[in-house]
Amino acid sequence: MAIEDREVTVVVNGQERSAAVEPRKLLVHYLRDDLGLTGTHIGCDTSQCGACSIMVNGEAVKSCTMLAVQAEGSEITTVEGLGSIEHLHPMQQSFWEEHGLQCGYCTPGVIMAMLGLLKENPNPSEEEIREGMEGVICRCTGYQFIVSAVQKAAKLMAEAEEQKEETLVANLVREGTHNG
Amino acid sequence: MANVIGASLKRKEDPRLLTGNGRFSDDIQLPGMLHAVILRSPHAHAKIKKIHAEEALKSQGVVAVYTGKDLEGKIGPVPSSWLVPDANLKEAPQYPLAIDYVRYVGDGVALIIAEDRYVARDALDLIEVEYEVLPAVVHQKEAMQEGVPLVHGDIENNIALHWKAGEVADEIINDAEVVVRESFYVQRVFPSPLETRAAIGQYDAGSGELTLWCTSQNPHIHRMVLSDVLGISEAKLRVIAPDMGGGFGGKIGVYPDEALVGYAARDLKRPVKWIEQRSEHFTASNAGRDEIIDVELAGKRDGTLLAIRVKNTANLGAYLSTMGPGVATIDFGLMITGAYDIPHASCETFGVYTNTTPTDAYRGAGKPEATYQIERIIDLYAREIGMDPIELRRKNFVRKEAFPYTNAQGLLYDSGDYEKPLEKALETLNYEELRQKQRELSKQGKLIGIGFSTYVELCGFGPSEVAGAIGFQGGVWENSTVRVHPSGKVTVYCGTSPHGQGHATTFGQVVAEKLGIPMDDIELVFSDTKSISMGWGTYGSRSTAVGGAAVSIAADRVVEKAKKIAAHELEASEEDIVFENGKFQVKGVPGQQRTFQEIAKSANMAWNLPEGMEPSLEAQSFFKPENFVYPFGTHAAVVEIDKDTGEIELKRYVCVDDVGRVINPLTAEGQVHGGIAQGVGQALWEGAVYSKDGQLLSGTLMDYALPKARFFPRIESAFTETPSPVNPLGAKGVGETGTTASIAAVMNAVMDALKPYNVKDIEMPLTSEKVWRAIQDGEGN
Amino acid sequence: MIPVKFDYIHAESVEQAIRLQQESNGEGKLIAGGHSLLPLMKFRLTEPGVLIDISRISQLKEVRKEGDRIVVGALTTHHAASNDPVIKEHIPLLADTVRQIGDLQVRNRGTIGGNIAHADPAADLPAAAFALDAQVIIQGEDGEETMPVDQFIVGPLITMMPENSIVTAVSFAIPPRHTRSVYLKYFHPASGYPVVGVAAIAGVDESGVIDFVRIGITGVGDIAYRAESVEQTLLGQTPSEAMIQEASRLAAEEGEMGNDFFTSSEYREHLCKVYTERALRSILLAN
């Protein structure tokens, strides 16, 4: 029985991308091998380590436990879609400042999982962060500096959010004056 | 840039890793690349009767299948690199694919090459192997008995090596007031870097050059060994270690798999990629530890220690790994007295073949085991004579004044002040109050335990003469070139091979401080045998103490030459030139100066150099240390045990490490944290479990517990600094201290908590069931 | 870790999901989040010829109150269930349990229906399902059928799921308003799965007597179970430390304790008792 390849189209990091793949192709292989997005890594084969974590439609998921065909039509964010080397995302910046990485292999997955955590809980306690890391494994850091990084990122992101709101209000006020 | 050494700078290597711009092995894509998978033995011991590969070969997309027989005579066995002398060492050849017999679950049987990784995986199921299953032996003490199966038919009693160091006369033990005896098992664990192993080979038929990207902590050792195995000139074999997701010793070894990939790439004249799967990693990558340690500690009732006699029976697995033979012998046996002035010591080690995956150096390599036995037995000794374990340690510490100190096994400890970190740790813990609290809570039926490990370890491998004398097949000096470009920007080439330690930053700091230039002006090159003439790699906490020292010396030489040029240009005598903050200044004549960048240009242009001076500004150093370095410190754990279930909660972890001069406190602390997580992992969660017939039961991350974030409290970490006289940086090593110290600290804490039940030992890992049983079987129950 | 080849089809409706299964000649397997199925397929422990993706059938994502039960659509993810206001209000035990499944990434993909249909003996969910008298709602070739969870799950990874059918929802009985509940687990340090997971609901009437108690226990053996002996002992009693201890001693009575290299059956039995005791203490004695 010949099984046809399927055209899988997704929006990755804001860009529409597609490739024809076997139905059995894992999403992580699709991203890495077909789309060349090698920032997402594979660390295990039992869905334990979370190195392959990405965002699918705004939720953190393990891309080794999802088929590419299941992702058809979805919006995906990988670590490449956060910040650039020149302009790091607050989460990346915090990992840098707090020494939240050593070999850097688990890091993209941990970052994506922690963004998922902050989405649910923008101001987590240390305990909540440690629990939130149940789905990731880091063999290098002993986790402590990752916890510090996530705490810092939460703060930076809250501040950025506040600033955004202030700007928005200021703009509205300005517009109001203009219109009035 | 002054005062860069000692600053907690952010790491140079991070922005690319944080943005998905790292380049790990599996990220490498080459045109026409093929994919390899390895069919591995499902049996611990079997005769290969026949391999049927026809179906696989017929399958579309399969390019080649190789078996051990196909490769006979074409590719040599992969040798061990540590041929411990005077140990009657018997090395059985390990062919890259098993030829007649498989000897452990995971032993390579066939190599399959296909156009795509999915096709390669499918082909694995199409190969049929007829095995005649043979009885297997798994446990090292059993393996030494008469009449058990032999792993290698011609090696009697499965004994790979028998080694002895030191002598303790029977009378000393027999006549001692106190003798404490215990047997400890430091169980088999898996290094488990988050990135598994990988290899990619590319052969250039025109030049005859084979490039091998592989997960290696020591690419030059890989080149040296593999050039021999593959029969290719070292000048035509280029080994590159790309970004690597950790190593922890598991990527020291030169493995059959890497040889196979190199062979296939050359044979097929197409690039070949092999990526190890996680569950494959558990059986195919070298494990760590697996040593049964019988200890006798003798001394006086007042706490004076007189002698330690140790026997180590080490499970080396089915073959001798790259460094395997040295771990339970040299690394372990010479360090058994730990931080204590014990006049008599002896160690007898048996290295034993079994039908298991080979064992090799794992973070700390022998020193965690040495520390474990001495720190555990010293606690038991304290208990025996009714002395506080801290007091007993203090009484027997090597005194500060005694350094450099020669231990009973003949090692020369470079520098030390063992009281200092101990005092600091006790202060952080608030020790007296904590003991008081422990007593109070104990009255309420709570089981609180406080445990210590006041360790010293040997690292910074090492003097070449010593390496030769102990049979290590390498020079273990280090090499660095500091190359100054016309602009004054600098490239530094290093022979060590970092994979998470952050040496681009710490070595960069050394160069920035020495040359007075910004960190951003410095690029570091590691891990490529074509760019770097020679080097011995990153393991055994040697990189900063040996490699960093080489960088420091090369940078000094650059300054020395630059100073001559500056003096020449400024028409001053060399003695009158001061080099500060990147400027060569004539003493007492403001304005009479040259910047480092100006001199860089002068040197490279060579329009006007001092008489007889060669152009360019570049220096290489080969640093051969005169001795090892010996970091030390105190680690303390506080645990609470749930009496009803045996569950252990790690409440506090305090550590004070003295790793000599600290180049970057932030990254140094990161190393300590990670090391602690691995040591605590060994004490509490990690452990290989084999069935009697040699099947690995703990063979996935569903069964083998790597520590997770929620298992830990916040670690309270600090440093003291006692410089080493052995290298110009005064640095020791920080990569392994956490692991070396923490296993015993946590175990001692648990034993302390279980003191009311008079429990003396529980085999690691301390699962709650084992603890619960110990309580059930303990005194008073 | 790559599955064998298979074909893949989307089912847009329950009817189509059934029809596609019929057409697959036994080769078809339903997939929603895939968090039970894909790990097995990657190890080639199961090799379906066709995956029928039901994740687009939006009606299977609904959560609603129907009389004295809460009907949770099969495609409701663990994450959605843990945040669902209806679930939180009426069956907080379910929210409490699914919040402890796996990890946040897994909870975003794994579904209630998939979890139950997979019948993994090591799963968390069955504890709550047994304690909440769950019923599995199945649409088959001959129409809809409802099966109590203890009749649906009959062994490790074995269910009474008829051929060519689909779990459309799982319904849970709403416990009386005055009860409290908790899910406590002793987890395996590697997998995070419960070695013992105890879901307990209990309440006392106005006279201070226990008038409602349900205990579901998972993880310990091949199949989850209701600790009925404990329930019977407690019913009609006034809660006290002594009473709880006495009753909890029976926590392993209805279960068959498994064992592996990590935990023996003896220890599992002991944990059953201790965790049941703790669960009951926290809902009956704590303020």
Side-chain angles (χ1 to χ4, degrees):
Chain A
M1 177 186 62
I3 294 163
E4 277 172 40
D5 284 358
R6 303 299 151 83
E7 190 74 16
V8 173
T9 304
V10 292
V11 176
V12 187
N13 304 327
Q15 258 192 316
E16 192 177 289
R17 303 286 301 272
S18 53
V21 299
E22 281 187 86
R24 65 170 168 162
K25 172 131 341 180
L26 302 175
L27 180 56
V28 67
H29 284 145
Y30 170 79
L31 292 170
R32 291 177 49 83
D33 297 348
D34 296 293
L35 305 187
L37 294 166
T38 54
T40 303
H41 301 143
I42 301 171
C44 77
D45 44 23
T46 51
S47 313
Q48 239 74 37
C49 80
C52 64
S53 298
I54 59 169
M55 291 277 186
V56 175
N57 296 329
E59 287 186 328
V61 306
K62 294 175 179 171
S63 62
C64 76
T65 313
M66 199 169 159
L67 301 168
V69 286
Q70 288 179 291
E72 166 64 24
S74 60
E75 268 195 43
I76 291 175
T77 309
T78 67
V79 72
E80 290 95 338
L82 297 181
S84 62
I85 288 181
E86 295 74 26
H87 300 282
L88 295 175
H89 182 280
M91 184 66 87
Q92 294 166 319
Q93 183 71 29
S94 304
F95 267 70
W96 192 18
E97 285 172 11
E98 296 297 320
H99 189 30
L101 68 156
Q102 288 181 24
C103 78
Y105 194 78
C106 75
T107 312
V110 175
I111 282 181
M112 299 316 287
M114 291 301 97
L115 284 171
L117 173 72
L118 292 190
K119 209 176 151 223
E120 282 294 300
N121 180 357
N123 186 23
S125 65
E126 165 146 5
E127 203 185 330
E128 286 167 336
I129 295 171
R130 287 182 185 269
E131 271 176 23
M133 270 196 263
E134 179 62 20
V136 296
I137 293 173
C138 169
R139 189 61 159 163
C140 292
T141 62
Y143 301 103
Q144 185 151 316
F145 287 160
I146 297 183
V147 172
S148 311
V150 176
Q151 285 170 326
K152 176 171 256 180
K155 206 168 140 246
L156 289 179
M157 286 165 72
E159 280 168 13
E161 203 53 42
E162 232 167 74
Q163 243 171 21
K164 215 159 64 186
E165 264 169 46
E166 276 169 24
T167 322
L168 204 67
V169 171
N171 285 344
L172 283 176
V173 170
R174 208 170 41 238
E175 272 172 36
T177 359
H178 278 293
N179 295 342
Chain B
M1 294 263 296
N3 302 320
V4 194
I5 292 181
S8 286
L9 299 189
K10 294 200 296 274
R11 301 198 319 170
K12 280 171 84 73
E13 37 280 86
D14 289 354
R16 45 189 290 278
L17 295 171
L18 283 164
T19 49
N21 285 294
R23 197 168 185 240
F24 296 89
S25 292
D26 199 15
D27 302 346
I28 296 170
Q29 296 286 6
L30 301 170
M33 191 160 76
L34 299 169
H35 294 262
V37 292
I38 295 166
L39 179 69
R40 298 188 181 276
S41 171
H43 305 293
H45 197 189
K47 186 173 183 358
I48 300 173
K49 289 164 69 184
K50 201 161 176 16
I51 301 176
H52 303 275
E54 307 78 29
E55 278 300 305
L57 276 165
K58 269 191 273 173
S59 172
Q60 200 188 352
V62 174
V63 175
V65 176
Y66 301 96
T67 65
K69 283 240 192 299
D70 297 336
L71 300 182
E72 240 181 325
K74 295 177 182 167
I75 176 169
V78 179
S80 173
S81 288
W82 203 335
L83 308 177
V84 176
D86 307 319
N88 199 14
L89 185 85
K90 289 175 183 149
E91 183 178 15
Q94 181 180 23
Y95 287 92
L97 288 172
I99 296 178
D100 290 317
Y101 292 92
V102 287
R103 296 188 170 86
Y104 64 97
V105 172
D107 211 348
V109 174
L111 173 72
I112 300 149
I113 313 279
E115 297 284 350
D116 158 284
R117 62 173 108 215
Y118 281 53
V119 174
R121 172 62 189 86
D122 290 342
L124 201 66
D125 292 346
L126 300 176
I127 296 179
E128 199 195 315
V129 185
E130 291 176 36
Y131 291 106
E132 180 190 332
V133 178
L134 301 169
V137 62
V138 174
H139 188 274
Q140 58 263 53
K141 282 203 173 174
E142 263 172 49
M144 292 166 72
Q145 288 163 10
E146 294 299 327
V148 298
L150 295 179
V151 178
H152 302 279
D154 52 346
I155 296 176
E156 274 174 48
N157 298 103
N158 293 311
I159 296 172
L161 64 88
H162 180 202
W163 175 89
K164 278 180 100 160
E167 196 62 60
V168 174
D170 285 342
E171 304 83 81
I172 299 179
I173 303 278
N174 296 342
D175 299 347
E177 290 172 20
V178 181
V179 182
V180 178
R181 295 185 172 86
E182 192 57 65
S183 179
F184 301 116
Y185 178 45
V186 181
Q187 84 279 24
R188 177 180 288 236
V189 288
F190 300 111
S192 311
L194 209 63
E195 180 206 32
T196 53
R197 290 187 300 118
I200 298 153
Q202 184 177 36
Y203 182 66
D204 182 329
S207 66
E209 185 177 289
L210 176 66
T211 303
L212 191 67
W213 290 265
C214 71
T215 46
S216 168
Q217 296 176 223
N218 27 251
H220 291 86
I221 292 183
H222 268 77
R223 181 180 67 170
M224 184 174 76
V225 173
L226 289 175
S227 68
D228 208 30
V229 171
L230 293 170
I232 185 169
S233 156
E234 262 175 296
K236 296 241 186 230
L237 177 60
R238 177 182 188 182
V239 178
I240 302 171
D243 280 333
M244 231 161 72
F248 314 114
K251 292 172 181 170
I252 290 173
V254 180
Y255 288 89
D257 315 325
E258 295 143 5
L260 290 173
V261 168
Y263 177 85
R266 188 173 55 175
D267 191 44
L268 301 169
K269 298 191 175 51
R270 283 179 67 181
V272 173
K273 178 192 269 190
W274 170 74
I275 305 291
E276 186 183 47
Q277 303 300 303
R278 174 60 58 190
S279 42
E280 184 182 17
H281 181 83
F282 279 106
T283 59
S285 284
N286 296 336
R289 323 281 191 237
D290 208 341
E291 294 160 46
I292 299 167
I293 302 164
D294 302 305
V295 198
E296 295 167 289
L297 181 63
K300 298 185 190 165
R301 199 145 282 281
D302 70 356
T304 308
L305 300 178
L306 296 175
I308 182 165
R309 195 157 68 178
V310 178
K311 192 175 117 186
N312 187 338
T313 312
N315 190 339
L316 300 183
Y319 297 98
L320 301 184
S321 65
T322 299
M323 295 199 185
V327 174
T329 51
I330 310 291
D331 280 340
F332 170 86
L334 304 182
M335 286 300 294
I336 52 172
T337 53
Y340 312 104
D341 187 17
I342 305 173
H344 304 281
S346 77
C347 177
E348 179 179 25
T349 296
F350 287 94
V352 185
Y353 284 117
T354 63
N355 293 111
T356 62
T357 300
T359 54
D360 202 340
Y362 167 50
R363 202 168 192 168
K367 280 85 73 179
E369 300 93 308
T371 302
Y372 185 70
Q373 56 86 32
I374 183 71
E375 290 302 306
R376 290 288 320 278
I377 200 83
I378 210 155
D379 260 33
L380 292 175
Y381 195 101
R383 191 185 288 197
E384 176 70 28
I385 61 169
M387 192 183 256
D388 184 280
I390 295 300
E391 202 187 324
L392 182 63
R393 283 175 167 84
R394 276 205 185 106
K395 191 175 168 71
N396 290 281
F397 269 161
V398 175
R399 303 271 145 244
K400 185 179 163 186
E401 306 75 49
F403 290 95
Y405 163 85
T406 305
N407 81 1
Q409 295 289 56
L411 290 176
L412 186 73
Y413 292 4
D414 60 338
S415 65
D417 182 355
Y418 298 163
E419 293 270 356
K420 209 157 89 183
L422 174 63
E423 287 311 319
K424 201 164 172 172
L426 292 175
E427 200 183 299
T428 308
L429 272 177
N430 211 342
Y431 183 57
E432 292 307 324
E433 207 171 284
L434 192 62
R435 282 281 181 212
Q436 181 58 33
K437 208 168 147 197
Q438 178 189 28
R439 281 188 289 270
E440 280 163 22
L441 287 169
S442 138
K443 279 179 209 148
Q444 297 168 30
K446 291 205 168 171
L447 299 177
I448 307 288
I450 309 163
F452 290 88
S453 175
T454 53
Y455 72 99
V456 57
E457 65 163 358
L458 163 158
C459 58
F461 217 31
S464 307
E465 296 81 359
V466 177
I470 60 177
F472 187 71
Q473 303 300 299
V476 286
W477 39 268
E478 261 321 321
N479 161 35
S480 178
T481 299
V482 173
R483 180 170 297 160
V484 185
H485 304 292
S487 61
K489 305 273 199 281
V490 170
T491 305
V492 184
Y493 299 84
C494 311
T496 53
S497 192
H499 40 279
Q501 294 84 350
H503 296 150
T505 305
T506 43
F507 291 10
Q509 284 177 259
V510 171
V511 175
E513 171 125 350
K514 294 275 177 187
L515 304 186
I517 58 174
M519 286 290 283
D520 286 346
D521 286 2
I522 304 161
E523 289 302 319
L524 286 106
V525 180
F526 300 97
S527 314
D528 178 353
T529 62
K530 204 167 185 176
S531 311
I532 298 133
S533 55
M534 192 57 199
W536 296 97
T538 288
Y539 44 83
S541 301
R542 66 185 299 277
S543 296
T544 305
V546 191
V551 170
S552 168
I553 294 165
D556 281 342
R557 288 183 186 159
V558 162
V559 172
E560 209 176 299
K561 182 172 179 181
K563 208 181 225 178
K564 286 193 170 71
I565 300 169
H568 175 71
E569 288 188 5
L570 295 164
E571 295 176 348
S573 82
E574 214 187 308
E575 296 77 58
D576 289 339
I577 302 287
V578 189
F579 182 54
E580 257 176 16
N581 297 321
K583 292 190 182 72
F584 298 90
Q585 168 81 46
V586 182
K587 233 184 276 174
V589 193
Q592 279 293 84
Q593 63 175 45
R594 288 286 186 277
T595 64
F596 180 80
Q597 291 74 16
E598 286 166 340
I599 299 298
K601 186 171 180 188
S602 301
N604 278 284
M605 297 307 160
W607 293 329
N608 174 24
L609 291 181
E611 180 87 33
M613 180 183 275
E614 289 180 359
S616 183
L617 189 54
E618 169 172 330
Q620 184 166 21
S621 83
F622 297 92
F623 176 65
K624 190 179 75 172
E626 68 193 45
N627 192 4
F628 301 101
V629 288
Y630 294 83
F632 57 90
T634 294
H635 283 222
V638 183
V639 300
E640 179 170 354
I641 293 173
D642 184 325
K643 217 193 259 187
D644 296 330
T645 62
E647 287 168 275
I648 298 166
E649 188 191 351
L650 187 56
K651 306 282 279 187
R652 280 184 79 186
Y653 198 96
V654 171
C655 57
V656 182
D657 294 280
D658 195 316
V659 298
R661 194 169 174 208
V662 176
I663 311 290
N664 183 324
L666 184 65
T667 60
E669 193 178 345
Q671 288 295 308
V672 172
H673 290 176
I676 290 168
Q678 281 180 348
V680 178
Q682 170 133 32
L684 299 185
W685 308 292
E686 298 182 40
V689 181
Y690 279 98
S691 69
K692 279 217 171 311
D693 59 355
Q695 292 294 328
L696 181 66
L697 303 177
S698 57
T700 74
L701 282 182
M702 299 274 286
D703 310 289
Y704 184 85
L706 293 180
K708 293 188 189 164
R710 63 167 156 159
F711 299 178
F712 296 98
R714 256 191 122 67
I715 292 163
E716 301 162 68
S717 159
F719 292 102
T720 58
E721 288 190 74
T722 306
S724 170
V726 172
N727 61 68
L729 291 172
K732 294 192 173 181
V734 67
E736 296 164 309
T737 58
T739 309
T740 297
S742 59
I743 311 173
V746 169
M747 279 297 289
N748 280 339
V750 173
M751 292 305 127
D752 185 51
L754 297 178
K755 213 166 147 188
Y757 302 97
N758 200 21
V759 175
K760 287 188 176 154
D761 187 43
I762 302 175
E763 199 172 278
M764 298 188 289
L766 291 178
T767 63
S768 48
E769 175 163 0
K770 289 186 207 166
V771 175
W772 173 71
R773 284 188 185 282
I775 293 173
Q776 300 302 303
D777 302 342
E779 270 175 28
N781 255 337
Chain C
M1 286 304 125
I2 290 159
V4 295
K5 284 182 195 238
F6 54 80
D7 210 343
Y8 174 87
I9 321 172
H10 266 287
E12 306 292 342
S13 66
V14 169
E15 295 66 37
Q16 199 190 356
I18 294 166
R19 201 177 62 245
L20 289 170
Q21 287 183 78
Q22 290 165 334
E23 288 166 5
S24 77
N25 298 321
E27 284 286 306
K29 192 115 186 142
L30 301 181
I31 184 167
H35 271 49
S36 302
L37 189 57
L38 287 177
L40 291 180
M41 288 173 65
K42 283 166 71 179
F43 274 91
R44 304 194 168 199
L45 297 172
T46 178
E47 303 181 353
V50 189
L51 285 189
I52 301 160
D53 189 334
I54 56 170
S55 63
R56 287 186 190 162
I57 310 175
S58 54
Q59 84 225 47
L60 301 186
K61 290 177 188 165
E62 280 170 25
V63 176
R64 62 181 188 278
K65 184 168 179 294
E66 248 176 45
D68 56 359
R69 299 187 78 86
I70 301 296
V71 181
V72 180
L75 291 182
T76 309
T77 62
H78 304 316
H79 174 247
S82 69
N83 287 322
D84 188 274
V86 176
I87 291 173
K88 276 159 75 173
E89 187 191 340
H90 297 284
I91 43 171
L93 176 63
L94 183 66
D96 194 14
T97 304
V98 295
R99 215 185 348 263
Q100 297 183 52
I101 292 176
D103 52 62
L104 71 94
Q105 299 99 303
V106 166
R107 292 191 291 273
N108 283 336
R109 291 288 298 168
T111 63
I112 300 284
N115 193 313
I116 287 288
H118 185 54
D120 190 333
D124 294 278
L125 185 57
F130 275 71
L132 290 165
D133 292 324
Q135 294 185 344
V136 185
I137 301 161
I138 301 158
Q139 186 76 36
E141 291 166 325
D142 310 319
E144 191 176 280
E145 179 178 359
T146 297
M147 240 186 251
V149 69
D150 56 349
Q151 289 172 29
F152 178 75
I153 299 177
V154 291
L157 309 180
I158 306 168
T159 65
M160 294 301 284
M161 184 92 169
E163 255 189 299
N164 305 329
S165 59
I166 170 173
V167 172
T168 57
V170 182
S171 83
F172 301 88
I174 301 171
R177 279 244 159 243
H178 67 280
T179 58
R180 295 164 73 180
S181 65
V182 72
Y183 177 63
L184 289 185
K185 79 194 237 194
Y186 170 99
F187 62 88
H188 190 291
S191 67
Y193 279 127
V195 173
V196 172
V198 177
I201 315 168
V204 286
D205 67 12
E206 283 136 15
S207 66
V209 161
I210 300 170
D211 65 344
F212 187 92
V213 56
R214 292 278 188 284
I215 295 159
I217 297 181
T218 189
V220 292
D222 282 349
I223 193 162
Y225 64 94
R226 272 265 299 275
E228 284 170 22
S229 305
V230 180
E231 295 175 4
Q232 290 310 319
T233 311
L234 287 173
L235 267 181
Q237 304 291 328
T238 312
S240 69
E241 181 60 38
M243 191 66 236
I244 287 171
Q245 282 187 19
E246 189 196 319
S248 300
R249 254 177 250 147
L250 304 170
E253 206 71 354
E254 288 80 11
E256 272 186 38
M257 302 293 123
N259 73 85
D260 59 17
F261 69 81
F262 181 64
T263 43
S264 68
S265 50
E266 190 193 350
Y267 184 58
R268 286 173 191 226
E269 184 176 330
H270 174 71
L271 288 177
C272 269
K273 296 172 186 173
V274 175
Y275 273 73
T276 300
E277 197 178 295
R278 288 179 182 176
L280 289 169
R281 197 178 289 133
S282 81
I283 54 180
L284 286 172
L285 297 183
N287 292 319

